[in-house]
PDB file of all heavy atoms in Angstrom:
ATOM      1  N   PHE A 118      19.037 -35.192 -39.188  1.00  0.00           N
ATOM      2  CA  PHE A 118      19.600 -34.180 -38.266  1.00  0.00           C
ATOM      3  C   PHE A 118      18.527 -33.450 -37.478  1.00  0.00           C
ATOM      4  O   PHE A 118      18.816 -32.502 -36.760  1.00  0.00           O
ATOM      5  CB  PHE A 118      20.387 -33.158 -39.109  1.00  0.00           C
ATOM      6  CG  PHE A 118      19.626 -32.763 -40.335  1.00  0.00           C
ATOM      7  CD1 PHE A 118      18.585 -31.860 -40.258  1.00  0.00           C
ATOM      8  CD2 PHE A 118      19.900 -33.380 -41.554  1.00  0.00           C
ATOM      9  CE1 PHE A 118      17.833 -31.548 -41.369  1.00  0.00           C
ATOM     10  CE2 PHE A 118      19.146 -33.079 -42.678  1.00  0.00           C
ATOM     11  CZ  PHE A 118      18.112 -32.155 -42.576  1.00  0.00           C
ATOM     12  N   CYS A 119      17.279 -33.848 -37.627  1.00  0.00           N
ATOM     13  CA  CYS A 119      16.177 -33.032 -37.110  1.00  0.00           C
ATOM     14  C   CYS A 119      15.587 -33.606 -35.813  1.00  0.00           C
ATOM     15  O   CYS A 119      15.298 -34.795 -35.727  1.00  0.00           O
ATOM     16  CB  CYS A 119      15.098 -32.921 -38.175  1.00  0.00           C
ATOM     17  SG  CYS A 119      13.703 -31.935 -37.646  1.00  0.00           S
ATOM     18  N   MET A 156       7.883 -23.347 -40.708  1.00  0.00           N
ATOM     19  CA  MET A 156       9.186 -24.031 -40.650  1.00  0.00           C
ATOM     20  C   MET A 156       9.419 -24.655 -39.295  1.00  0.00           C
ATOM     21  O   MET A 156      10.544 -24.994 -38.941  1.00  0.00           O
ATOM     22  CB  MET A 156      10.314 -23.019 -40.894  1.00  0.00           C
ATOM     23  CG  MET A 156      10.439 -22.564 -42.313  1.00  0.00           C
ATOM     24  SD  MET A 156      11.972 -21.663 -42.522  1.00  0.00           S
ATOM     25  CE  MET A 156      11.792 -21.131 -44.217  1.00  0.00           C
ATOM     26  N   GLY A 157       8.369 -24.756 -38.492  1.00  0.00           N
ATOM     27  CA  GLY A 157       8.516 -25.393 -37.190  1.00  0.00           C
ATOM     28  C   GLY A 157       8.381 -26.899 -37.354  1.00  0.00           C
ATOM     29  O   GLY A 157       8.648 -27.454 -38.431  1.00  0.00           O
ATOM     30  N   GLY A 159       7.027 -30.483 -38.116  1.00  0.00           N
ATOM     31  CA  GLY A 159       6.031 -31.026 -39.034  1.00  0.00           C
ATOM     32  C   GLY A 159       6.327 -30.738 -40.487  1.00  0.00           C
ATOM     33  O   GLY A 159       7.129 -29.873 -40.819  1.00  0.00           O
ATOM     34  N   GLU A 160       5.688 -31.524 -41.357  1.00  0.00           N
ATOM     35  CA  GLU A 160       5.823 -31.338 -42.794  1.00  0.00           C
ATOM     36  C   GLU A 160       4.470 -30.813 -43.307  1.00  0.00           C
ATOM     37  O   GLU A 160       3.495 -31.567 -43.386  1.00  0.00           O
ATOM     38  CB  GLU A 160       6.204 -32.679 -43.450  1.00  0.00           C
ATOM     39  CG  GLU A 160       6.112 -32.714 -44.959  1.00  0.00           C
ATOM     40  CD  GLU A 160       6.802 -31.540 -45.670  1.00  0.00           C
ATOM     41  OE1 GLU A 160       7.957 -31.218 -45.363  1.00  0.00           O
ATOM     42  OE2 GLU A 160       6.158 -30.941 -46.540  1.00  0.00           O
ATOM     43  N   SER A 191       7.966 -24.248 -45.874  1.00  0.00           N
ATOM     44  CA  SER A 191       9.156 -25.055 -46.093  1.00  0.00           C
ATOM     45  C   SER A 191       8.755 -26.526 -46.194  1.00  0.00           C
ATOM     46  O   SER A 191       8.009 -27.030 -45.358  1.00  0.00           O
ATOM     47  CB  SER A 191      10.108 -24.841 -44.920  1.00  0.00           C
ATOM     48  OG  SER A 191      11.247 -25.658 -45.048  1.00  0.00           O
ATOM     49  N   THR A 192       9.267 -27.199 -47.220  1.00  0.00           N
ATOM     50  CA  THR A 192       8.940 -28.616 -47.392  1.00  0.00           C
ATOM     51  C   THR A 192      10.203 -29.438 -47.617  1.00  0.00           C
ATOM     52  O   THR A 192      11.182 -28.957 -48.186  1.00  0.00           O
ATOM     53  CB  THR A 192       7.974 -28.836 -48.578  1.00  0.00           C
ATOM     54  OG1 THR A 192       7.765 -30.243 -48.748  1.00  0.00           O
ATOM     55  CG2 THR A 192       8.518 -28.272 -49.877  1.00  0.00           C
ATOM     56  N   CYS A 193      10.126 -30.703 -47.189  1.00  0.00           N
ATOM     57  CA  CYS A 193      11.257 -31.601 -47.419  1.00  0.00           C
ATOM     58  C   CYS A 193      11.241 -32.131 -48.858  1.00  0.00           C
ATOM     59  O   CYS A 193      12.146 -32.852 -49.249  1.00  0.00           O
ATOM     60  CB  CYS A 193      11.207 -32.744 -46.413  1.00  0.00           C
ATOM     61  SG  CYS A 193       9.737 -33.757 -46.582  1.00  0.00           S
ATOM     62  N   SER A 214      13.783 -27.853 -48.705  1.00  0.00           N
ATOM     63  CA  SER A 214      14.910 -28.350 -47.923  1.00  0.00           C
ATOM     64  C   SER A 214      15.738 -29.267 -48.813  1.00  0.00           C
ATOM     65  O   SER A 214      15.317 -30.374 -49.129  1.00  0.00           O
ATOM     66  CB  SER A 214      14.399 -29.112 -46.694  1.00  0.00           C
ATOM     67  OG  SER A 214      13.714 -28.228 -45.859  1.00  0.00           O
ATOM     68  N   HIS A 216      19.622 -29.797 -48.724  1.00  0.00           N
ATOM     69  CA  HIS A 216      20.561 -30.455 -47.798  1.00  0.00           C
ATOM     70  C   HIS A 216      21.570 -31.412 -48.422  1.00  0.00           C
ATOM     71  O   HIS A 216      22.560 -31.772 -47.777  1.00  0.00           O
ATOM     72  CB  HIS A 216      19.823 -31.187 -46.657  1.00  0.00           C
ATOM     73  CG  HIS A 216      18.872 -30.321 -45.899  1.00  0.00           C
ATOM     74  ND1 HIS A 216      19.150 -29.017 -45.573  1.00  0.00           N
ATOM     75  CD2 HIS A 216      17.633 -30.558 -45.416  1.00  0.00           C
ATOM     76  CE1 HIS A 216      18.124 -28.498 -44.910  1.00  0.00           C
ATOM     77  NE2 HIS A 216      17.184 -29.405 -44.806  1.00  0.00           N
ATOM     78  N   GLU A 256      16.950 -24.456 -48.945  1.00  0.00           N
ATOM     79  CA  GLU A 256      17.589 -24.464 -47.629  1.00  0.00           C
ATOM     80  C   GLU A 256      18.614 -25.591 -47.598  1.00  0.00           C
ATOM     81  O   GLU A 256      18.369 -26.684 -48.112  1.00  0.00           O
ATOM     82  CB  GLU A 256      16.537 -24.727 -46.537  1.00  0.00           C
ATOM     83  CG  GLU A 256      15.509 -23.637 -46.411  1.00  0.00           C
ATOM     84  CD  GLU A 256      14.291 -24.124 -45.661  1.00  0.00           C
ATOM     85  OE1 GLU A 256      13.407 -24.744 -46.287  1.00  0.00           O
ATOM     86  OE2 GLU A 256      14.244 -23.916 -44.447  1.00  0.00           O
ATOM     87  N   SER A 258      21.216 -27.245 -44.783  1.00  0.00           N
ATOM     88  CA  SER A 258      21.825 -27.319 -43.453  1.00  0.00           C
ATOM     89  C   SER A 258      23.252 -27.810 -43.611  1.00  0.00           C
ATOM     90  O   SER A 258      23.474 -28.916 -44.099  1.00  0.00           O
ATOM     91  CB  SER A 258      21.060 -28.307 -42.566  1.00  0.00           C
ATOM     92  OG  SER A 258      19.770 -27.829 -42.340  1.00  0.00           O
ATOM     93  N   VAL A 289      24.244 -26.442 -39.192  1.00  0.00           N
ATOM     94  CA  VAL A 289      23.330 -27.377 -38.515  1.00  0.00           C
ATOM     95  C   VAL A 289      23.295 -27.108 -37.008  1.00  0.00           C
ATOM     96  O   VAL A 289      24.325 -26.830 -36.384  1.00  0.00           O
ATOM     97  CB  VAL A 289      23.705 -28.847 -38.822  1.00  0.00           C
ATOM     98  CG1 VAL A 289      24.925 -29.307 -38.046  1.00  0.00           C
ATOM     99  CG2 VAL A 289      22.530 -29.779 -38.578  1.00  0.00           C
ATOM    100  N   ASN A 290      22.112 -27.141 -36.457  1.00  0.00           N
ATOM    101  CA  ASN A 290      21.963 -26.984 -35.011  1.00  0.00           C
ATOM    102  C   ASN A 290      22.210 -28.327 -34.368  1.00  0.00           C
ATOM    103  O   ASN A 290      21.537 -29.298 -34.701  1.00  0.00           O
ATOM    104  CB  ASN A 290      20.528 -26.572 -34.670  1.00  0.00           C
ATOM    105  CG  ASN A 290      20.319 -25.099 -34.842  1.00  0.00           C
ATOM    106  OD1 ASN A 290      21.089 -24.284 -34.343  1.00  0.00           O
ATOM    107  ND2 ASN A 290      19.273 -24.749 -35.563  1.00  0.00           N
TER     108      ASN A 290
HETATM  109  N1  LIG B   1       9.242 -30.272 -42.838  1.00  0.00           N
HETATM  110  C1  LIG B   1       9.631 -29.018 -43.401  1.00  0.00           C
HETATM  111  C2  LIG B   1       9.649 -27.844 -42.446  1.00  0.00           C
HETATM  112  C3  LIG B   1      10.223 -28.029 -41.079  1.00  0.00           C
HETATM  113  S1  LIG B   1      11.936 -27.956 -40.807  1.00  0.00           S
HETATM  114  C4  LIG B   1      10.949 -29.159 -44.106  1.00  0.00           C
HETATM  115  O1  LIG B   1      11.555 -30.202 -44.053  1.00  0.00           O
HETATM  116  O2  LIG B   1      11.361 -28.210 -44.784  1.00  0.00           O
HETATM  117  C5  LIG B   1      12.534 -26.373 -41.295  1.00  0.00           C
HETATM  118  C6  LIG B   1      13.969 -26.415 -41.783  1.00  0.00           C
HETATM  119  O3  LIG B   1      14.895 -26.664 -40.711  1.00  0.00           O
HETATM  120  C7  LIG B   1      14.199 -27.515 -42.797  1.00  0.00           C
HETATM  121  O4  LIG B   1      15.008 -27.054 -43.834  1.00  0.00           O
HETATM  122  C8  LIG B   1      14.917 -28.556 -41.964  1.00  0.00           C
HETATM  123  O5  LIG B   1      15.610 -29.458 -42.769  1.00  0.00           O
HETATM  124  C9  LIG B   1      15.797 -27.691 -41.102  1.00  0.00           C
HETATM  125  N2  LIG B   1      16.349 -28.355 -39.924  1.00  0.00           N
HETATM  126  C10 LIG B   1      15.807 -29.318 -39.155  1.00  0.00           C
HETATM  127  N3  LIG B   1      16.627 -29.671 -38.149  1.00  0.00           N
HETATM  128  C11 LIG B   1      17.703 -28.901 -38.270  1.00  0.00           C
HETATM  129  C12 LIG B   1      18.923 -28.796 -37.533  1.00  0.00           C
HETATM  130  N4  LIG B   1      19.171 -29.567 -36.473  1.00  0.00           N
HETATM  131  N5  LIG B   1      19.816 -27.873 -37.935  1.00  0.00           N
HETATM  132  C13 LIG B   1      19.582 -27.090 -39.004  1.00  0.00           C
HETATM  133  N6  LIG B   1      18.459 -27.140 -39.735  1.00  0.00           N
HETATM  134  C14 LIG B   1      17.545 -28.046 -39.382  1.00  0.00           C
END
Side-chain angles (χ1 to χ4, degrees):
F118 44 78
C119 180
M156 287 191 185
E160 168 49 48
S191 177
T192 176
C193 63
S214 296
H216 306 320
E256 295 162 276
S258 295
V289 76
N290 278 310

